[in-house]
Amino acid sequence: MRKIPCGLLPLAVAWLCLGASTASAQAAGTPQDRAAAAVHRVNGNFIRDNATTKKTPDWPSYGLDYAESRFSKLDQVNAGNVKQLGLVWSYNLESTRGVEATPLVVDGVMYVTASWSVVHAIDTRTGQKLWTFDPQIDKSKGFRGCCDVVNRGVALYEGKVYVAAYDGRLIALDAATGQKVWEKNTIEGQKGSYTITGAPRVFKGKVIIGNGGAEYGVRGYVTAYDAKTGDQKWRWFVVPGDPSKPFEDESMARAAKTWDPSGKYWEAGGGGTAWDSFAFDPELNLMYVGTGNGSPWARSKRSPSGGDNLYLGSVVALNPDTGKYVWHYQETPGDNWDYTSTQSMILANVKLGGKPRKVLLHAPKNGFFFVIDRTNGKFISAKNFVEVNWATGYDTNGRPIEIAAARQNEKPGDSIPGPFGAHNWHPMSFNPQTGLAYLPAQNVPINLMDDKDWKFDQNVPGRPHGGMGWNTAMFANAEPPKSKPFGRLIAWDPVAQKEAWGVDYASPWNGGTLTTAGNLVFQGTADGRLLAYNAKTGEKLWETPTGTGVVAAPSTYMVDGKQYVSVAVGWGGVYGLAQRATERQGPGTVYTFAVGGTAKMPEFVQYRMSKLVEGVKYDPAKVQAGTMLYVSNCVFCHGVPGVDRGGNIPNLGYMDAAYIQNLDKFVLNGPATARGMPDFTGKLSADEIESIKAFIQGTADAIRPK
């Protein structure tokens, strides 16, 4: 569709472009006009009114409201009629990698992102495209992020759509046309391999964004930009920098006392990247940040004498006006297991001991469900929601009671939960009517062992993804892990700190949740379904196929008096690169459902899996060297040849022999760089490529049924 400059829009919309702040969203007739009028009204008051005085007819922010509750007050679709849900329309996102975005909808206009940070504006009344914006990411640089080229969505504010691009740019778009208004490079001047996959938030006229990259060696921070101009207003670093230089503020000076400078932690950045979760309490004037893991993972390398390493694995409260530190609670002191606290935070008001409390609910990677006083950061309670083997619980001061063996990583040992986390980024929701939080829980078996010879940015064969820039200072799966994989939906009572009900799934890596006043919980699954449950009892009430696995969370909204449920589907994320639980694949797709919908599902195709590769000539003496090179350059994307089945990236053990025989033509500036394949020119020699070929074919031969 042709993009219309603001000055050429109809008079009423042009007036809005000049700054009018009160106009009816129904005044203009075309979808573009509605988009301009509706999003122009979105500000702090709109988001608060939508969540409080109204029955959440719109979904204007990532977690629906500032509390990130993902609880919709809509009840037109309810436990009594949810069985009548049917497809109204589907929309092709034209993507083949992971889709993690929650669709935002205001007055019937949807804004959703696909992989590679591409933004789509859709008319929800018809399912037709209004516009798309492609930030033109250099796809050959996709390897600079650990966890797929995903994006979790946009923010809306006063006529603009904000998207944080994979390569670190924050971009403001005109909501009606998709044209760029301003752009800022959020990683300019920083060292290391930064990316952004998270959704921005707008608090008090400031666009808030963090970044990822702790696996590579970066220093995490959070930045606020003026929503109108893009001017940087403040930046708060999560961990301290080089102690020979002045600290940015008192919080960094305090944090530095918890790090051992003999480890020169600042060379690997320290980590702590705030790559996903934020929340905001307007009454307290506090914004909350979930912080990430250490860089490197092994505390023995980044801080040899120990220490809590503030503010890794923490919830931190900041003043949104200034970015000034207010308080923190550290959930995983001295993180040693990639236990990020970036998972979704929910602000809730609950009764504890018969008294109302303002709390923050959190279920991070480490496997414990936390209830924290959000006014001051004081610990209230914590209980493990899955099996864990690193701590037995938390004491009354809010410190974990660690199991000593959990830090003894001289030999391979299962870390439970592992680095994929007991709960990853997939959003949880909280229903104040049931008093339950709905949590995607999981285990992905991995064992860890310290790499005693690790040095920063030293690429040595055998170090996990070292050729791609990873700096974990640990080996992964040096021996086969013993724990079992699982995926589970848990309805958790945060007051009693126990599971109310749960549902087991076929695989880890299931989608985020949505809960509603209709006594419903919606969730998509890794095995390609969208389901609705009774929020009180867990009884399955409805399901529909989605073709491929679902990782994102659904949203719900009202248009012209009718309630709709939408979910963006596209298998991926770090687990979904090399693993899957379905036999079908398709492009990223938005599905929209309503009671009485009768549209047909789009067609999907079967995954194309050839038989195990055979016939590639190789020197058996090169297999061992090829194994180490494969671990350093290939395994996290392609999986183990023939053992794994492939996810949204193919498993090389099931490729046609011609691909493996001519591997050099694909890894050295090959055609797949346009789809995200790294260019290994200058990184792999001809002999090393021959060794990798030997490992691929040798592994296929070793596991082939005799």
Side-chain angles (χ1 to χ4, degrees):
M1 177 170 289
R2 184 171 63 92
K3 295 179 179 178
I4 308 170
C6 186
L8 297 182
L9 291 172
L11 179 60
V13 182
W15 179 65
L16 285 170
C17 293
L18 292 173
S21 60
T22 57
S24 168
Q26 305 299 328
T30 70
Q32 289 85 354
D33 293 349
R34 286 199 304 273
V39 176
H40 186 87
R41 295 182 296 124
V42 176
N43 55 25
N45 288 334
F46 182 96
I47 292 173
R48 293 179 73 178
D49 289 346
N50 184 69
T52 55
T53 62
K54 299 179 181 180
K55 292 184 65 174
T56 56
D58 296 300
W59 194 288
S61 186
Y62 179 69
L64 176 60
D65 47 34
Y66 282 141
E68 301 271 317
S69 72
R70 295 180 180 266
F71 167 69
S72 171
K73 295 181 179 178
L74 297 178
D75 59 5
Q76 188 183 91
V77 178
N78 54 58
N81 65 9
V82 69
K83 288 182 172 64
Q84 301 171 35
L85 276 187
L87 185 67
V88 179
W89 53 260
S90 60
Y91 175 92
N92 187 342
L93 289 168
E94 301 176 356
S95 60
T96 59
R97 300 287 290 272
V99 176
E100 297 186 353
T102 299
L104 272 54
V105 180
V106 177
D107 190 31
V109 181
M110 177 182 291
Y111 300 92
V112 65
T113 56
S115 49
W116 299 108
S117 318
V118 176
V119 185
H120 296 254
I122 307 167
D123 182 357
T124 63
R125 292 169 170 87
T126 63
Q128 297 301 305
K129 179 190 300 184
L130 300 179
W131 53 258
T132 59
F133 173 80
D134 186 345
Q136 299 294 322
I137 308 297
D138 181 351
K139 292 182 172 57
S140 69
K141 302 297 192 297
F143 70 91
R144 290 186 175 177
C146 70
C147 304
D148 205 357
V149 290
V150 293
N151 186 280
R152 290 182 201 99
V154 301
L156 307 177
Y157 192 79
E158 294 187 347
K160 297 182 182 66
V161 179
Y162 302 91
V163 62
Y166 184 77
D167 57 13
R169 290 174 289 151
L170 179 64
I171 304 168
L173 307 174
D174 182 280
T177 66
Q179 291 183 330
K180 187 187 301 183
V181 178
W182 55 255
E183 174 181 297
K184 297 293 176 180
N185 183 353
T186 72
I187 62 177
E188 188 174 16
Q190 307 300 313
K191 295 189 301 180
S193 189
Y194 286 94
T195 53
I196 302 179
T197 56
R201 314 296 202 279
V202 182
F203 304 146
K204 302 185 74 173
K206 300 175 185 66
V207 189
I208 311 296
I209 194 65
N211 44 57
E215 276 62 55
Y216 295 80
V218 302
R219 183 188 183 197
Y221 56 86
V222 179
T223 315
Y225 296 89
D226 185 276
K228 291 182 179 178
T229 65
D231 294 338
Q232 183 174 318
K233 306 305 288 185
W234 54 257
R235 173 169 288 171
W236 182 75
F237 285 94
V238 176
V239 298
D242 186 342
S244 68
K245 300 175 182 178
F247 293 115
E248 289 83 1
D249 58 31
E250 185 180 336
S251 70
M252 289 298 99
R254 186 184 305 116
K257 297 176 183 178
T258 68
W259 294 72
D260 177 6
S262 72
K264 296 184 178 180
Y265 58 83
W266 56 92
E267 291 184 354
T273 48
W275 51 264
D276 189 24
S277 187
F278 303 98
F280 175 47
D281 188 327
E283 293 179 357
L284 298 175
N285 197 37
L286 292 177
M287 59 166 282
Y288 306 91
V289 181
T291 70
N293 56 285
S295 180
W297 291 359
R299 187 180 65 170
S300 63
K301 289 298 183 181
R302 68 172 186 269
S303 190
S305 66
D308 286 352
N309 295 177
L310 293 174
Y311 297 96
L312 299 178
S314 299
V315 174
V316 181
L318 303 177
N319 182 316
D321 299 313
T322 63
K324 183 177 176 60
Y325 163 95
V326 179
W327 59 254
H328 80 278
Y329 171 67
Q330 190 171 38
E331 296 170 329
T332 311
D335 169 48
N336 196 54
W337 307 274
D338 186 24
Y339 285 166
T340 67
S341 288
T342 54
Q343 288 59 50
S344 49
M345 299 175 290
I346 295 176
L347 311 185
N349 299 327
V350 301
K351 276 192 175 182
L352 295 170
K355 297 180 180 179
R357 297 286 297 273
K358 297 178 182 293
V359 300
L360 184 148
L361 309 178
H362 202 212
K365 272 189 181 182
N366 73 15
F368 285 85
F369 193 104
F370 293 87
V371 181
I372 304 165
D373 187 319
R374 73 173 184 268
T375 69
N376 55 23
K378 299 299 183 183
F379 170 82
I380 296 175
S381 66
K383 180 70 175 178
N384 58 301
F385 57 90
V386 298
E387 177 188 354
V388 302
N389 72 350
W390 71 277
T392 59
Y394 279 70
D395 65 23
T396 56
N397 295 316
R399 288 193 67 87
I401 305 166
E402 289 192 17
I403 297 169
R407 290 189 184 271
Q408 295 172 4
N409 292 339
E410 295 82 8
K411 296 180 180 180
D414 273 30
S415 173
I416 304 174
F420 285 91
H423 172 217
N424 207 286
W425 66 269
H426 314 83
M428 73 173 180
S429 58
F430 175 74
N431 190 321
Q433 296 177 345
T434 64
L436 301 177
Y438 303 97
L439 167 64
Q442 63 180 21
N443 183 55
V444 177
I446 285 189
N447 65 46
L448 299 174
M449 180 177 70
D450 280 3
D451 181 354
K452 60 184 178 61
D453 298 321
W454 173 85
K455 289 182 174 56
F456 180 59
D457 265 356
Q458 185 183 65
N459 178 19
V460 175
R463 287 182 175 157
H465 244 43
M468 297 291 95
W470 280 47
N471 279 282
T472 63
M474 284 187 170
F475 294 110
N477 288 352
E479 293 180 358
K482 298 180 177 62
S483 64
K484 302 299 182 184
F486 70 82
R488 182 171 174 82
L489 171 61
I490 295 176
W492 188 264
D493 182 338
V495 175
Q497 285 286 27
K498 66 179 184 180
E499 180 178 314
W501 56 261
V503 177
D504 291 320
Y505 289 136
S507 168
W509 215 248
N510 298 285
T513 67
L514 157 70
T515 186
T516 77
N519 191 32
L520 294 172
V521 177
F522 290 92
Q523 185 188 24
T525 63
D527 62 355
R529 297 176 293 157
L530 178 65
L531 302 106
Y533 298 96
N534 182 303
K536 294 177 182 177
T537 67
E539 177 190 0
K540 186 176 74 172
L541 302 175
W542 172 82
E543 74 171 80
T544 187
T546 57
T548 189
V550 185
V551 292
S555 62
T556 187
Y557 48 90
M558 190 78 78
V559 179
D560 300 334
K562 193 175 186 68
Q563 184 182 352
Y564 296 85
V565 177
S566 292
V567 64
V569 176
W571 181 244
V574 61
Y575 180 81
L577 292 172
Q579 308 282 352
R580 71 175 192 273
T582 64
E583 296 304 326
R584 291 182 292 176
Q585 63 179 341
T589 304
V590 177
Y591 293 100
T592 293
F593 303 91
V595 171
T598 58
K600 291 184 178 180
M601 279 283 180
E603 294 292 330
F604 289 93
V605 299
Q606 293 292 113
Y607 272 97
R608 293 179 59 189
M609 278 188 64
S610 302
K611 60 182 181 180
L612 275 172
V613 63
E614 60 182 335
V616 176
K617 295 180 180 179
Y618 68 96
D619 181 354
K622 291 182 179 292
V623 170
Q624 181 59 33
T627 303
M628 297 296 101
L629 289 163
Y630 191 90
V631 168
S632 296
N633 296 282
C634 315
V635 70
F636 285 171
C637 292
H638 290 286
V640 179
V643 176
D644 298 317
R645 300 194 307 149
N648 64 25
I649 294 177
N651 184 280
L652 300 180
Y654 293 103
M655 300 291 284
D656 290 341
Y659 285 103
I660 309 306
Q661 189 66 56
N662 296 285
L663 192 62
D664 59 323
K665 294 180 174 60
F666 290 92
V667 301
L668 304 179
N669 197 25
T673 56
R675 301 190 297 274
M677 175 82 175
D679 178 10
F680 288 92
T681 302
K683 297 179 180 179
L684 290 174
S685 67
D687 185 65
E688 288 173 327
I689 294 172
E690 287 299 313
S691 295
I692 292 173
K693 288 166 58 175
F695 168 70
I696 295 169
Q697 184 62 75
T699 302
D701 290 344
I703 66 172
R704 195 185 317 278
K706 300 296 189 286

